[in-house]
Amino acid sequence: MKSLLTRQRRINPVYLAFMVASFMLGVAGALQAPTLSLFLTREVQARPFWVGLFFTINAVAGIVVSMLVAKRSDSVGDRRNIILFCCLMALINALLFAFTRHYLTLITLGVLLSALASVSMPQLFALAREYADQSAREAVMFSSVMRAQLSLAWVIGPPLSFALALNYGFVTLFMVAAALFLICILLVWFTLPSVPRSQPLLQSGGLPLSGWRDRDVRLLFLASVAMWTCNTMYIIDMPLYISATLGLPEKLAGLLMGTAAGLEIPVMLLAGHYARRIGKRRLMLIAVGAGVLFYLGLVLFNSRTSLMVLQLFNAVFVGIIAGIGMLWFQDLMPGRPGAATTMFTNSISTGMILAGVIQGSLSERLGHEAVYWLAFGLAMVALLMSARVRDV
């Protein structure tokens, strides 16, 4: 009887719906992000500085929108409706990029739509955490499996993104992304549950800035900003670096991203499984240490084989900080999962702001290698700051 009940819990249709929703949203996003710098450079004819500026403004808008949405979603309304609205904005944004090549339009209307669209994923994870708490599921493993769906999406997304863009054009690429967002809307509408708010969260209001009162939260936020600055600079610069500096095929960029995402899946699952035994702090230190080695390797080795091998370190770095990092914020801010998730996602957005400015300026003035030397230094800083945050 116990075995049967356990099996029924494992095949819970709501649980599966969260997994599929995170996967579909991940695929839709992974189709657009890897080739965005190439799109702006080739189709819009933007210089490197303006490419970086686009990413920066997009991230600033994302922070503002996420804070406003997080406050509302943690206090009133149905979080599922917010996810549906954000997915609709993502669909419209994909159509805009498919048929517009005007930089000013893309950096204004496109950025606004993109900022609204970017809220869908953190809101999905916030809804999942509420569902896990309400249904007495193990939150660490639940979150890790959901993060694994995103990694699986990034196994498929980047290679498909480059294949569509290079072989069929960016119109086809963004139309496919729009179709996927439409599927996401239907999936969320028909499968995801509405979860009532808990009273402690209603009283807190879900304000992300309250975390700044805690020294450990501040340190973790700054360390997370440094980590995601490194990662975003790599995502922006790598497609241009391997083609313009290393003279390697452009399609290799998609293969590298897909390989790293594929390796992230077992890393995330293992991290979720051993989190209690090893501890979140120790896992994060291992992850940032792998990041230090990864960015150092990018400037020391430039062959196709070495770049593929380095993706193992990249997978350990991103795979752990993406899942365990969010949970570490939630543990440091008990009773405020929405605020903690927003704090984590805002650290990503802040990293994108810095990465956009730094990557565009450095690559244009000092070359692409300078980007990775700086990433190495920032990873070292992140390692030192993470070591000063308490374990929970």
Side-chain angles (χ1 to χ4, degrees), residues 238-363:
M238 189 267 288
L240 306 174
Y241 173 59
I242 66 169
S243 59
T245 302
L246 302 183
L248 296 171
E250 292 177 338
K251 63 181 181 180
L252 177 61
L255 182 60
L256 292 175
M257 290 184 182
T259 299
L263 293 172
E264 285 171 17
I265 295 175
V267 169
M268 287 180 178
L269 296 178
L270 288 172
H273 180 72
Y274 288 105
R276 286 189 176 182
R277 183 182 306 177
I278 300 176
K280 297 182 181 68
R281 179 177 178 275
R282 188 174 299 175
L283 281 173
M284 286 289 287
L285 293 179
I286 292 173
V288 184
V292 170
L293 296 177
F294 172 65
Y295 294 112
L296 179 62
L298 287 176
V299 294
L300 297 180
F301 309 102
N302 53 31
S303 68
R304 178 190 178 101
T305 301
S306 61
L307 291 175
M308 290 293 291
V309 172
L310 285 172
Q311 297 310 308
L312 175 61
F313 295 94
N314 190 25
V316 173
F317 176 55
V318 178
I320 294 179
I321 67 171
I324 301 300
M326 181 180 67
L327 295 171
W328 202 2
F329 272 106
Q330 292 173 348
D331 289 347
L332 289 171
M333 301 171 65
R336 294 171 289 167
T341 303
T342 300
M343 180 74 81
F344 174 73
T345 56
N346 279 349
S347 72
I348 300 176
S349 299
T350 305
M352 291 179 64
I353 294 173
L354 298 175
V357 174
I358 294 170
Q359 184 277 332
S361 301
L362 277 184
S363 62

Side-chain angles (χ1 to χ4, degrees), residues 86-102:
C86 293
C87 287
L88 178 60
M89 296 301 100
L91 189 155
I92 297 173
N93 185 55
L95 294 176
L96 178 69
F97 273 74
F99 300 108
T100 302
R101 299 296 182 269
H102 189 251

